[in-house]
Amino acid sequence: MDAFTAGILQRIENTEIQLERAREAGDLFAADLEQAELEDLLRLASEHGVRVERVAA
């Protein structure tokens, strides 16, 4: 796995964790920000052919 792939997968994982924390805390603003970040990261991964295995949506 190259550095780009490893980095983007780590960023996706971190963002998913932060999104779940924001949702659990009821922080809608933070959840919206994290959701937008996650969508951007997933788009970037897709554009570069990085396959993302996701457990939850």
Side-chain angles (χ1 to χ4, degrees):
M1 178 180 311
D2 64 31
F4 175 80
T5 300
I8 197 152
L9 290 174
Q10 185 62 56
R11 288 181 62 196
I12 288 169
E13 181 179 344
N14 292 344
T15 302
E16 287 175 328
I17 291 167
Q18 292 303 319
L19 174 57
E20 184 60 29
R21 287 180 181 161
R23 286 177 176 164
E24 288 174 357
D27 188 341
L28 299 178
F29 180 73
D32 284 347
L33 289 176
E34 296 298 341
Q35 183 64 46
E37 176 71 8
L38 181 58
E39 290 169 8
D40 286 344
L41 290 168
L42 292 171
R43 177 191 49 76
L44 184 61
S46 177
E47 287 174 358
H48 289 275
V50 176
R51 186 164 183 234
V52 178
E53 300 282 336
R54 296 185 65 208
V55 175

